[in-house]
Amino acid sequence: DWDEAGLLAALDDVEAASGLRRAWVTGFSGGGMLAARMIARHPARLRGAVLQCANFDWWGHGLSEGPAEGLGLPVRVVVGGRD
């Protein structure tokens, strides 16, 4: 189960404390999958994302063209040779 609500609450706290309306997210493996889900479901909350070794099904989340196509977000995806 992804803690999407927890990450959204953390983003709310950052916004309240700093006034920043959007943030970068990053994550490795399962954390990268949560970051990818945030791109798919809440792109307006993000400035961009870096995903490391995240095996994420973009098409299953309504992103038929890949992670950042048409969203206007910078996204870096990093994987290793055995991922």
Side-chain angles (χ1 to χ4, degrees):
D1 215 6
W2 306 110
D3 190 10
E4 184 176 338
L7 184 50
L8 288 169
L11 290 174
D12 290 341
D13 290 346
V14 168
E15 182 178 340
S18 68
L20 296 175
R21 294 182 53 199
R22 299 185 314 155
W24 282 82
V25 293
T26 186
F28 178 82
S29 190
M33 292 172 69
L34 176 56
R37 184 178 172 106
M38 293 297 293
I39 294 167
R41 296 173 56 112
H42 306 283
R45 300 291 310 264
L46 306 178
R47 293 185 64 86
V50 179
L51 315 176
Q52 297 126 14
C53 302
N55 184 12
F56 188 75
D57 176 15
W58 297 104
W59 299 269
H61 284 81
L63 296 175
S64 61
E65 298 300 322
E69 191 69 32
L71 295 177
L73 290 175
V75 175
R76 172 73 60 154
V77 177
V78 180
V79 295
R82 295 184 184 181
D83 293 329

